[in-house]
Amino acid sequence: MKDSSAFSVAAGRALTTGRVRSVDIAALARRHAPLVAVVLVALGLGFVHLSRYPQTWFDEGIYLNVSRNVVERHEYFARSADGTRDYALVVGVGPTVLLPVALALRLGGMSLEAARFVPVLYLAVATGLMFGVTRRLFGTRAA
């Protein structure tokens, strides 16, 4: 009870006085500048030679087959050369990758660069999360 009434009193004062707590943008930018820099470096390295490196492999072709079928035929299957539909064990990546790749293929065209755009974004998000966790656990210097 005491906490809720204290909150309502503080909220009432803020409403009646019209004062809004200011945010120090410079301090916020200084705090998050290393995180932004790390994510930008990850994005930059991820987009270098996107169509040529890493070299394509058979599993990438199978996954792209499923994403292409989602775009063109609205089917979540791998279509084989003889026309059969298959959701085999080889298609083990799942919709968290295949459906965003299908969206990238629809928006960016049927190209390897468009398909690899999604994993590069996942790389940047994972790098940022790891940096944030490391900074929180061990400090900015360790991160």
Side-chain angles (χ1 to χ4, degrees), residues 41-60:
V41 167
L43 281 172
L45 291 175
F47 284 119
V48 172
H49 304 296
L50 192 60
S51 65
R52 296 180 303 204
Y53 184 81
Q55 191 172 16
T56 56
W57 199 244
F58 72 93
D59 60 341
E60 191 172 18

PDB file of all heavy atoms in Angstrom, residues 41-60:
ATOM      1  N   VAL A  41      30.855  -3.046 -36.440  1.00  0.00           N
ATOM      2  CA  VAL A  41      31.979  -3.859 -36.927  1.00  0.00           C
ATOM      3  C   VAL A  41      31.487  -5.246 -37.338  1.00  0.00           C
ATOM      4  O   VAL A  41      31.876  -5.771 -38.389  1.00  0.00           O
ATOM      5  CB  VAL A  41      33.097  -3.954 -35.860  1.00  0.00           C
ATOM      6  CG1 VAL A  41      34.108  -5.025 -36.206  1.00  0.00           C
ATOM      7  CG2 VAL A  41      33.788  -2.609 -35.703  1.00  0.00           C
ATOM      8  N   ALA A  42      30.607  -5.838 -36.553  1.00  0.00           N
ATOM      9  CA  ALA A  42      30.060  -7.156 -36.908  1.00  0.00           C
ATOM     10  C   ALA A  42      29.283  -7.089 -38.215  1.00  0.00           C
ATOM     11  O   ALA A  42      29.413  -7.978 -39.068  1.00  0.00           O
ATOM     12  CB  ALA A  42      29.159  -7.675 -35.777  1.00  0.00           C
ATOM     13  N   LEU A  43      28.490  -6.036 -38.392  1.00  0.00           N
ATOM     14  CA  LEU A  43      27.749  -5.877 -39.645  1.00  0.00           C
ATOM     15  C   LEU A  43      28.706  -5.678 -40.820  1.00  0.00           C
ATOM     16  O   LEU A  43      28.522  -6.272 -41.886  1.00  0.00           O
ATOM     17  CB  LEU A  43      26.797  -4.686 -39.555  1.00  0.00           C
ATOM     18  CG  LEU A  43      25.500  -4.913 -38.816  1.00  0.00           C
ATOM     19  CD1 LEU A  43      24.754  -3.595 -38.631  1.00  0.00           C
ATOM     20  CD2 LEU A  43      24.631  -5.916 -39.538  1.00  0.00           C
ATOM     21  N   GLY A  44      29.710  -4.863 -40.613  1.00  0.00           N
ATOM     22  CA  GLY A  44      30.679  -4.622 -41.687  1.00  0.00           C
ATOM     23  C   GLY A  44      31.399  -5.889 -42.097  1.00  0.00           C
ATOM     24  O   GLY A  44      31.537  -6.184 -43.289  1.00  0.00           O
ATOM     25  N   LEU A  45      31.853  -6.658 -41.125  1.00  0.00           N
ATOM     26  CA  LEU A  45      32.544  -7.912 -41.443  1.00  0.00           C
ATOM     27  C   LEU A  45      31.593  -8.944 -42.037  1.00  0.00           C
ATOM     28  O   LEU A  45      31.996  -9.756 -42.864  1.00  0.00           O
ATOM     29  CB  LEU A  45      33.218  -8.473 -40.184  1.00  0.00           C
ATOM     30  CG  LEU A  45      34.402  -7.668 -39.661  1.00  0.00           C
ATOM     31  CD1 LEU A  45      34.890  -8.255 -38.340  1.00  0.00           C
ATOM     32  CD2 LEU A  45      35.531  -7.616 -40.670  1.00  0.00           C
ATOM     33  N   GLY A  46      30.349  -8.915 -41.627  1.00  0.00           N
ATOM     34  CA  GLY A  46      29.377  -9.866 -42.150  1.00  0.00           C
ATOM     35  C   GLY A  46      29.011  -9.607 -43.598  1.00  0.00           C
ATOM     36  O   GLY A  46      28.732 -10.539 -44.353  1.00  0.00           O
ATOM     37  N   PHE A  47      29.025  -8.350 -43.997  1.00  0.00           N
ATOM     38  CA  PHE A  47      28.628  -8.013 -45.361  1.00  0.00           C
ATOM     39  C   PHE A  47      29.773  -8.035 -46.368  1.00  0.00           C
ATOM     40  O   PHE A  47      29.547  -7.891 -47.562  1.00  0.00           O
ATOM     41  CB  PHE A  47      27.939  -6.649 -45.404  1.00  0.00           C
ATOM     42  CG  PHE A  47      26.535  -6.678 -44.898  1.00  0.00           C
ATOM     43  CD1 PHE A  47      26.158  -5.928 -43.805  1.00  0.00           C
ATOM     44  CD2 PHE A  47      25.584  -7.470 -45.510  1.00  0.00           C
ATOM     45  CE1 PHE A  47      24.858  -5.954 -43.336  1.00  0.00           C
ATOM     46  CE2 PHE A  47      24.284  -7.519 -45.057  1.00  0.00           C
ATOM     47  CZ  PHE A  47      23.921  -6.758 -43.967  1.00  0.00           C
ATOM     48  N   VAL A  48      31.011  -8.217 -45.908  1.00  0.00           N
ATOM     49  CA  VAL A  48      32.151  -8.264 -46.825  1.00  0.00           C
ATOM     50  C   VAL A  48      32.072  -9.544 -47.650  1.00  0.00           C
ATOM     51  O   VAL A  48      31.969 -10.641 -47.096  1.00  0.00           O
ATOM     52  CB  VAL A  48      33.483  -8.202 -46.046  1.00  0.00           C
ATOM     53  CG1 VAL A  48      34.661  -8.446 -46.957  1.00  0.00           C
ATOM     54  CG2 VAL A  48      33.617  -6.865 -45.356  1.00  0.00           C
ATOM     55  N   HIS A  49      32.095  -9.418 -48.950  1.00  0.00           N
ATOM     56  CA  HIS A  49      32.072 -10.562 -49.888  1.00  0.00           C
ATOM     57  C   HIS A  49      30.917 -11.508 -49.579  1.00  0.00           C
ATOM     58  O   HIS A  49      31.085 -12.726 -49.557  1.00  0.00           O
ATOM     59  CB  HIS A  49      33.395 -11.323 -49.869  1.00  0.00           C
ATOM     60  CG  HIS A  49      34.571 -10.474 -50.163  1.00  0.00           C
ATOM     61  ND1 HIS A  49      34.755  -9.849 -51.368  1.00  0.00           N
ATOM     62  CD2 HIS A  49      35.642 -10.136 -49.407  1.00  0.00           C
ATOM     63  CE1 HIS A  49      35.885  -9.177 -51.348  1.00  0.00           C
ATOM     64  NE2 HIS A  49      36.451  -9.322 -50.168  1.00  0.00           N
ATOM     65  N   LEU A  50      29.757 -10.950 -49.345  1.00  0.00           N
ATOM     66  CA  LEU A  50      28.600 -11.740 -48.909  1.00  0.00           C
ATOM     67  C   LEU A  50      28.216 -12.826 -49.906  1.00  0.00           C
ATOM     68  O   LEU A  50      27.815 -13.914 -49.517  1.00  0.00           O
ATOM     69  CB  LEU A  50      27.413 -10.805 -48.664  1.00  0.00           C
ATOM     70  CG  LEU A  50      26.220 -11.390 -47.959  1.00  0.00           C
ATOM     71  CD1 LEU A  50      26.604 -11.890 -46.578  1.00  0.00           C
ATOM     72  CD2 LEU A  50      25.135 -10.343 -47.829  1.00  0.00           C
ATOM     73  N   SER A  51      28.366 -12.562 -51.188  1.00  0.00           N
ATOM     74  CA  SER A  51      27.962 -13.566 -52.182  1.00  0.00           C
ATOM     75  C   SER A  51      29.034 -14.628 -52.408  1.00  0.00           C
ATOM     76  O   SER A  51      28.742 -15.690 -52.946  1.00  0.00           O
ATOM     77  CB  SER A  51      27.633 -12.884 -53.505  1.00  0.00           C
ATOM     78  OG  SER A  51      28.796 -12.294 -54.042  1.00  0.00           O
ATOM     79  N   ARG A  52      30.269 -14.358 -51.989  1.00  0.00           N
ATOM     80  CA  ARG A  52      31.359 -15.305 -52.261  1.00  0.00           C
ATOM     81  C   ARG A  52      31.898 -16.011 -51.029  1.00  0.00           C
ATOM     82  O   ARG A  52      32.528 -17.062 -51.145  1.00  0.00           O
ATOM     83  CB  ARG A  52      32.515 -14.576 -52.948  1.00  0.00           C
ATOM     84  CG  ARG A  52      32.158 -14.026 -54.300  1.00  0.00           C
ATOM     85  CD  ARG A  52      33.324 -13.331 -54.898  1.00  0.00           C
ATOM     86  NE  ARG A  52      33.746 -12.279 -53.977  1.00  0.00           N
ATOM     87  CZ  ARG A  52      34.411 -11.208 -54.327  1.00  0.00           C
ATOM     88  NH1 ARG A  52      34.760 -11.033 -55.565  1.00  0.00           N
ATOM     89  NH2 ARG A  52      34.742 -10.295 -53.440  1.00  0.00           N
ATOM     90  N   TYR A  53      31.718 -15.432 -49.869  1.00  0.00           N
ATOM     91  CA  TYR A  53      32.300 -16.013 -48.663  1.00  0.00           C
ATOM     92  C   TYR A  53      31.251 -16.046 -47.567  1.00  0.00           C
ATOM     93  O   TYR A  53      30.593 -15.041 -47.334  1.00  0.00           O
ATOM     94  CB  TYR A  53      33.507 -15.195 -48.204  1.00  0.00           C
ATOM     95  CG  TYR A  53      34.199 -15.820 -47.026  1.00  0.00           C
ATOM     96  CD1 TYR A  53      35.090 -16.870 -47.222  1.00  0.00           C
ATOM     97  CD2 TYR A  53      33.936 -15.406 -45.739  1.00  0.00           C
ATOM     98  CE1 TYR A  53      35.708 -17.465 -46.141  1.00  0.00           C
ATOM     99  CE2 TYR A  53      34.548 -15.992 -44.668  1.00  0.00           C
ATOM    100  CZ  TYR A  53      35.434 -17.022 -44.874  1.00  0.00           C
ATOM    101  OH  TYR A  53      36.039 -17.619 -43.813  1.00  0.00           O
ATOM    102  N   PRO A  54      31.069 -17.107 -46.861  1.00  0.00           N
ATOM    103  CA  PRO A  54      31.681 -18.413 -47.076  1.00  0.00           C
ATOM    104  C   PRO A  54      31.127 -19.089 -48.321  1.00  0.00           C
ATOM    105  O   PRO A  54      30.025 -18.778 -48.772  1.00  0.00           O
ATOM    106  CB  PRO A  54      31.315 -19.202 -45.820  1.00  0.00           C
ATOM    107  CG  PRO A  54      30.075 -18.569 -45.314  1.00  0.00           C
ATOM    108  CD  PRO A  54      30.132 -17.127 -45.730  1.00  0.00           C
ATOM    109  N   GLN A  55      31.902 -19.993 -48.830  1.00  0.00           N
ATOM    110  CA  GLN A  55      31.492 -20.701 -50.042  1.00  0.00           C
ATOM    111  C   GLN A  55      30.207 -21.492 -49.766  1.00  0.00           C
ATOM    112  O   GLN A  55      30.016 -22.043 -48.682  1.00  0.00           O
ATOM    113  CB  GLN A  55      32.607 -21.643 -50.475  1.00  0.00           C
ATOM    114  CG  GLN A  55      32.416 -22.225 -51.843  1.00  0.00           C
ATOM    115  CD  GLN A  55      33.650 -23.001 -52.295  1.00  0.00           C
ATOM    116  OE1 GLN A  55      34.501 -23.341 -51.494  1.00  0.00           O
ATOM    117  NE2 GLN A  55      33.719 -23.276 -53.573  1.00  0.00           N
ATOM    118  N   THR A  56      29.325 -21.518 -50.759  1.00  0.00           N
ATOM    119  CA  THR A  56      28.066 -22.233 -50.555  1.00  0.00           C
ATOM    120  C   THR A  56      28.313 -23.731 -50.411  1.00  0.00           C
ATOM    121  O   THR A  56      29.258 -24.274 -50.961  1.00  0.00           O
ATOM    122  CB  THR A  56      27.106 -21.984 -51.726  1.00  0.00           C
ATOM    123  OG1 THR A  56      27.742 -22.360 -52.932  1.00  0.00           O
ATOM    124  CG2 THR A  56      26.682 -20.550 -51.790  1.00  0.00           C
ATOM    125  N   TRP A  57      27.433 -24.369 -49.680  1.00  0.00           N
ATOM    126  CA  TRP A  57      27.542 -25.782 -49.397  1.00  0.00           C
ATOM    127  C   TRP A  57      26.160 -26.388 -49.587  1.00  0.00           C
ATOM    128  O   TRP A  57      25.167 -25.685 -49.686  1.00  0.00           O
ATOM    129  CB  TRP A  57      28.070 -25.973 -47.975  1.00  0.00           C
ATOM    130  CG  TRP A  57      28.658 -27.317 -47.682  1.00  0.00           C
ATOM    131  CD1 TRP A  57      28.167 -28.223 -46.790  1.00  0.00           C
ATOM    132  CD2 TRP A  57      29.818 -27.912 -48.242  1.00  0.00           C
ATOM    133  NE1 TRP A  57      28.951 -29.333 -46.758  1.00  0.00           N
ATOM    134  CE2 TRP A  57      29.991 -29.169 -47.663  1.00  0.00           C
ATOM    135  CE3 TRP A  57      30.738 -27.505 -49.191  1.00  0.00           C
ATOM    136  CZ2 TRP A  57      31.018 -30.030 -47.981  1.00  0.00           C
ATOM    137  CZ3 TRP A  57      31.763 -28.362 -49.512  1.00  0.00           C
ATOM    138  CH2 TRP A  57      31.897 -29.603 -48.906  1.00  0.00           C
ATOM    139  N   PHE A  58      26.063 -27.699 -49.627  1.00  0.00           N
ATOM    140  CA  PHE A  58      24.786 -28.350 -49.950  1.00  0.00           C
ATOM    141  C   PHE A  58      23.681 -28.020 -48.962  1.00  0.00           C
ATOM    142  O   PHE A  58      22.519 -27.899 -49.343  1.00  0.00           O
ATOM    143  CB  PHE A  58      24.962 -29.862 -50.076  1.00  0.00           C
ATOM    144  CG  PHE A  58      25.187 -30.562 -48.761  1.00  0.00           C
ATOM    145  CD1 PHE A  58      24.115 -31.089 -48.065  1.00  0.00           C
ATOM    146  CD2 PHE A  58      26.461 -30.678 -48.220  1.00  0.00           C
ATOM    147  CE1 PHE A  58      24.307 -31.738 -46.861  1.00  0.00           C
ATOM    148  CE2 PHE A  58      26.652 -31.319 -47.022  1.00  0.00           C
ATOM    149  CZ  PHE A  58      25.585 -31.848 -46.336  1.00  0.00           C
ATOM    150  N   ASP A  59      24.011 -27.871 -47.690  1.00  0.00           N
ATOM    151  CA  ASP A  59      22.956 -27.592 -46.714  1.00  0.00           C
ATOM    152  C   ASP A  59      22.336 -26.225 -46.935  1.00  0.00           C
ATOM    153  O   ASP A  59      21.133 -26.039 -46.772  1.00  0.00           O
ATOM    154  CB  ASP A  59      23.474 -27.741 -45.288  1.00  0.00           C
ATOM    155  CG  ASP A  59      24.617 -26.795 -44.963  1.00  0.00           C
ATOM    156  OD1 ASP A  59      25.257 -26.282 -45.899  1.00  0.00           O
ATOM    157  OD2 ASP A  59      24.873 -26.576 -43.767  1.00  0.00           O
ATOM    158  N   GLU A  60      23.142 -25.265 -47.355  1.00  0.00           N
ATOM    159  CA  GLU A  60      22.595 -23.950 -47.652  1.00  0.00           C
ATOM    160  C   GLU A  60      21.628 -24.025 -48.830  1.00  0.00           C
ATOM    161  O   GLU A  60      20.590 -23.361 -48.842  1.00  0.00           O
ATOM    162  CB  GLU A  60      23.729 -22.967 -47.959  1.00  0.00           C
ATOM    163  CG  GLU A  60      23.289 -21.536 -48.029  1.00  0.00           C
ATOM    164  CD  GLU A  60      24.457 -20.581 -48.153  1.00  0.00           C
ATOM    165  OE1 GLU A  60      25.569 -20.985 -48.519  1.00  0.00           O
ATOM    166  OE2 GLU A  60      24.237 -19.391 -47.896  1.00  0.00           O
TER     167      GLU A  60
END
